[in-house]
Amino acid sequence: MTKYNINFKTKKDAAYRSLVNPKLMSELKVKIVKILLKKKKYKDKDYSAKRLAEDLGTNTRYISAVVNVCFDMNYTSLVNKYRIENAKSILTNRRYSDLRMEEISDMVGFSNRQSFYAAFYKFTGQTPRQFKLHADASERK
């Protein structure tokens, strides 16, 4: 899609993915979700795959393999997915109706508005404003 310069990548087969023990992969998946989602590390703009690996006592190759196999996306996309889900809930919550898009973008962990809009469009097929307008219209019905 050229609108937000989004490139959809083809899936590559990396040999190291099959080298991770399935039991370890399952354990790491649970820990990744716990840290990123439950501890809300996805909101931290500086929380990288390297820091996640350090927190889990492993390396970035294992993190990459687990995220690719278990979530079918890369680390950045996984973090952005959680951010967009959070943004969607903020956009539909009346309590936050007076916030600007830049403020929402910052609240959920994006460094800038452009990244927020591109990620939002990638995951929803619409801009945050379109999503909000559609949600508002649905609510009025």
Side-chain angles (χ1 to χ4, degrees):
M1 186 123 271
T2 58
K3 186 172 183 174
Y4 289 101
N5 201 19
I6 297 171
N7 297 323
F8 293 98
K9 297 178 182 171
T10 56
K11 196 169 184 171
K12 298 175 192 168
D13 229 9
Y16 66 87
R17 289 182 192 155
S18 62
L19 299 176
V20 180
N21 174 321
K23 184 176 186 266
L24 176 60
M25 188 171 288
S26 180
E27 290 171 4
L28 284 173
K29 177 185 176 187
V30 170
K31 290 177 181 178
I32 288 169
V33 169
K34 182 179 179 186
I35 288 174
L36 290 180
L37 194 57
K38 294 199 168 90
K39 291 187 176 184
K40 299 186 187 238
K41 288 291 188 176
Y42 67 88
K43 290 183 175 188
D44 183 347
K45 294 173 181 72
D46 299 319
Y47 198 75
S48 64
K50 183 179 180 185
R51 282 191 45 205
L52 176 61
E54 289 168 0
D55 288 349
L56 294 176
T58 189
N59 62 54
T60 55
R61 283 208 175 250
Y62 274 36
I63 296 299
S64 178
V66 171
V67 171
N68 276 276
V69 170
C70 296
F71 299 99
D72 199 32
M73 59 183 72
N74 65 28
Y75 175 80
T76 302
S77 293
L78 179 64
V79 170
N80 285 346
K81 178 183 168 211
Y82 291 142
R83 289 174 176 168
I84 296 306
E85 289 303 315
N86 188 200
K88 285 167 50 180
S89 69
I90 291 170
L91 287 166
T92 56
N93 189 327
R94 288 182 185 207
R95 186 171 56 179
Y96 300 111
S97 63
D98 59 333
L99 291 179
R100 296 184 347 264
M101 288 300 163
E102 291 80 6
E103 293 169 314
I104 294 170
S105 168
D106 188 58
M107 280 175 68
V108 299
F110 284 97
S111 298
N112 59 61
R113 193 175 73 102
Q114 291 80 6
S115 297
F116 174 55
Y117 269 70
F120 201 97
Y121 194 87
K122 178 182 175 185
F123 283 101
T124 67
Q126 52 190 337
T127 66
R129 290 194 195 288
Q130 290 170 331
F131 178 85
K132 183 172 175 38
L133 289 172
H134 186 264
D136 289 346
S138 296
E139 194 175 284
R140 281 187 237 123
K141 289 182 180 177

